[in-house]
Amino acid sequence: MAKMLGRAQPPKVQTYSKNPLFDLLPATIRRLVNPKAPVKCCVASLQRNLAGFGPNGDISKNQKIQLENLMKKVMGVAYMPEDLTGKFSSLSKLNQREQSKFFSADIFSLTGDAWMKEPGSVEWTDGKGVFINNYSNFILWVNLEDQLRLVSVAKGQDLKYVLLRLQKAVARIEEALKMVFSTKSCQQRGFSTASGGFSHSRREVYGTGFETSFTMELVGFERAGREEIEKAKRELSVKIERNGKPNIFNVVLNQVPEDTEQDIVKKSVEAVDALGKMMQNYNQVLRG
C-alpha cells in the first residue's frame, strides 16, 4: 500500500522471544546496595519447574519420585561446589516426631518455614523432600508447591551475600541438569517457561519466580497499632506480617508483573530503609 501511494515502506516490526534467565549475575549483585536499616535476617528465593516434568508441581507420584531422585544426584558432591554440598532428606521417610524435630532447626525459623513442624500442617507424601547445605544457609525444596524452590538465607543485612549464593546455586543446578540430561532433547534440560517468564505456582510472584523477604524488629509498630501498620503497607507497597515473636515482622515487596529481579531488590531495599526511618520516628514520638 505504501508503495502505491509513493511513500516509504514502514520499517518491519521485529519481535524477539525473550529466553528467561535469573537476571542477577555476580557483577550486577555486587553493584547493588544492602539495606541500611536494622534487619535480623534476609531471604531470597526462586520458584522453578523442570521442562522435562511439566510447568508446575501437579505431576504424578512416579514423576515426583523420579524428580526427587534426580535432585539427590544433582545436589551431590559430583556437581556442587563445597559451599553448596549437604544432605537431602526424604520427608515421607520420617515419622511425625522426627518431622517435628527436623523442622525445629534454626534455618526453618529464618526462612519462615518453622510452621511445618506442626503435625498435619503438610502432607509429606512420597517424592517430597528438602536439601540443606552444610552451612545451613541454603535450602532446596523438592515437590512442595512447585517442583523446585531454592532459598538462600543469612542473618543480618547482607542481602548481596544471600543473592550471590542463590545465583551460584541456580547456575550450578542448571549446569548439572544439562549434564544429567545430556542424552535427552534440549527441551527437557531447562526450566519450564511461558510468556517470556518462568512457570510456577507462587501467588503474587510473576515471571521471575523471584522473591525477597526481610525479618525486622518493629517495636514502634507494636505500640502504634494496626492503623499505622496498614498505612505503612499502603505507602511502601509491602506486606508486613507478624513473625510469631514479639515485635518481629516479615516484610515482603508487593510485586508488579513488569518487575525484573533488579527492580525487586531495589524496591525491597528502599522499602526496608523507609520502614527503618518510620520506626525511628515512631520510637522518638513514643519516648517523647
Side-chain angles (χ1 to χ4, degrees):
M1 179 63 76
K3 210 169 185 179
M4 288 170 64
L5 295 171
R7 294 176 190 164
Q9 195 77 11
K12 189 177 178 183
V13 176
Q14 288 186 300
T15 56
Y16 299 91
S17 59
K18 181 187 170 191
N19 187 25
L21 54 95
F22 179 55
D23 202 15
L24 284 177
L25 297 175
T28 306
I29 293 169
R30 291 187 181 98
R31 288 195 297 269
L32 295 170
V33 178
N34 283 327
K36 295 180 181 66
V39 171
K40 289 199 163 289
C41 155
C42 300
V43 179
S45 64
L46 287 173
Q47 304 287 131
R48 293 290 187 267
N49 292 286
L50 300 188
F53 286 83
N56 54 47
D58 187 17
I59 57 178
S60 69
K61 178 182 172 180
N62 283 344
Q63 283 180 306
K64 286 181 178 179
I65 293 169
Q66 282 175 15
L67 179 61
E68 184 185 41
N69 290 331
L70 171 67
M71 296 317 295
K72 284 179 187 175
K73 185 175 181 180
V74 163
M75 299 310 294
V77 292
Y79 297 106
M80 289 296 123
E82 184 270 339
D83 57 329
L84 289 174
T85 56
K87 184 183 178 185
F88 193 98
S89 298
S90 297
L91 294 165
S92 63
K93 306 283 193 294
L94 305 181
N95 63 35
Q96 200 169 85
R97 188 178 171 188
E98 289 168 334
Q99 287 170 5
S100 294
K101 185 181 176 185
F102 181 78
F103 285 110
S104 297
D106 189 40
I107 189 168
F108 296 115
S109 293
L110 297 177
T111 61
D113 297 314
W115 59 273
M116 293 184 187
K117 68 184 175 187
E118 296 302 322
S121 57
V122 179
E123 190 181 352
W124 296 113
T125 49
D126 289 343
K128 288 183 179 178
V130 61
F131 170 89
I132 304 173
N133 73 337
N134 292 327
Y135 294 94
S136 289
N137 53 24
F138 174 76
I139 292 178
L140 173 71
W141 293 101
V142 177
N143 292 317
L144 196 55
E145 48 185 353
D146 284 303
Q147 293 166 25
L148 303 179
R149 174 170 163 79
L150 294 75
V151 187
S152 178
V153 61
K155 291 179 179 177
Q157 299 155 297
D158 199 348
L159 177 62
K160 292 197 279 187
Y161 174 56
V162 169
L163 293 172
L164 285 167
R165 188 184 310 109
L166 185 65
Q167 189 279 331
K168 187 177 191 178
V170 74
R172 290 302 183 102
I173 288 170
E174 277 194 287
E175 277 177 37
L177 287 169
K178 284 175 186 174
M179 291 182 208
V180 172
F181 281 133
S182 59
T183 57
K184 307 264 182 176
S185 69
C186 292
Q187 283 75 29
Q188 286 187 288
R189 293 189 202 171
F191 295 126
S192 294
T193 59
S195 306
F198 292 101
S199 304
H200 64 86
S201 310
R202 194 161 180 84
R203 293 179 60 195
E204 298 177 359
V205 174
Y206 299 96
T208 60
F210 173 63
E211 190 172 48
T212 56
S213 173
F214 303 83
T215 302
M216 301 179 75
E217 186 171 15
L218 305 175
V219 179
F221 268 168
E222 199 70 72
R223 294 175 184 166
R226 186 172 183 81
E227 280 184 23
E228 292 300 329
I229 296 177
E230 293 302 320
K231 183 183 172 188
K233 284 182 183 179
R234 289 192 301 272
E235 287 181 3
L236 301 177
S237 191
V238 290
K239 299 176 193 71
I240 304 172
E241 295 170 349
R242 293 177 190 275
N243 172 283
K245 297 174 185 173
N247 302 319
I248 306 297
F249 293 81
N250 293 331
V251 181
V252 179
L253 178 75
N254 290 322
Q255 297 182 24
V256 295
E258 298 76 31
D259 281 337
T260 64
E261 289 90 346
Q262 284 191 58
D263 293 333
I264 293 164
V265 173
K266 287 176 181 175
K267 288 180 183 179
S268 297
V269 169
E270 286 168 6
V272 164
D273 285 343
L275 206 48
K277 285 177 184 171
M278 279 184 184
M279 281 310 94
Q280 284 181 331
N281 295 337
Y282 286 142
N283 291 333
Q284 283 171 3
V285 169
L286 290 165
R287 278 198 297 266

